[in-house]
Amino acid sequence: MRNQFDLELHELEQSFLGLGQLVLETASKALLALASKDKEMAELIINKDHAINQGQSAIELTCARLLALQQPQVSDLRFVISIMSSCSDLERMGDHMAGIAKAVLQLKENQLAPDEEQLHQMGKLSLSMLSDLLVAFPLHQASKAISIAQKDEQIDQYYYALSKEIIGLMKDQETSIPNGTQYLYIIGHLERFADYIANICERLVYLETGELVDLN
């Protein structure tokens, strides 16, 4: 019975990591669509968001079944609870990437655009945070999770700098307000995306140590 339960826990973790990889791929495509103003790719991202929602639902059902039908030890409970709450964060992260795709559809050509390099770096850092988390999670590396979460402060710095720039441009040029509004949405989605990564890092620390920490 224990061997079977361990196998089911392993399969649960693999499903979670698969969902995380899907979110990472979606985020990469969303940022590519933003950089190239590719509206066709943006539409595809929006239309495929349901796959992430379905993945979350399947994982939550598996967690509920394991808790109801098995007799988990304390460490098993921490693991299942961590997966259940973290997959909810992944689903929200997917929603934020769909939000970026929707904003791309609203951007007007030859109108306001903020510092593209800063925006690119903000997106690149967000992707690297999630990529590193997906490596650290199956190894249950709490120390790595803490270092990943600390990068959220840099994301916040990008957010405040870009917000200030965009609002300034909108004040100077009324015609830039429509695009400026969409760019404010975009950087807001990226900032929240990173916040959810920090949330999952907190779950990883809890999984290894049993301690609830605030990394965000």
Side-chain angles (χ1 to χ4, degrees), residues 96 99-100 103 106 159 166 178-191:
H96 283 294
I100 288 178
Q106 300 300 320
Y159 173 76
I166 293 166
N179 264 25
T181 301
Q182 297 306 318
Y183 276 110
L184 287 174
Y185 289 151
I186 288 166
I187 62 173
H189 286 307
L190 280 174
E191 193 271 336

Side-chain angles (χ1 to χ4, degrees), residues 39 103-112 178-179 182:
K39 296 186 184 297
V104 169
L105 296 179
Q106 300 300 320
L107 290 176
K108 309 297 183 185
E109 293 184 11
N110 303 318
Q111 287 193 18
L112 172 145
N179 264 25
Q182 297 306 318

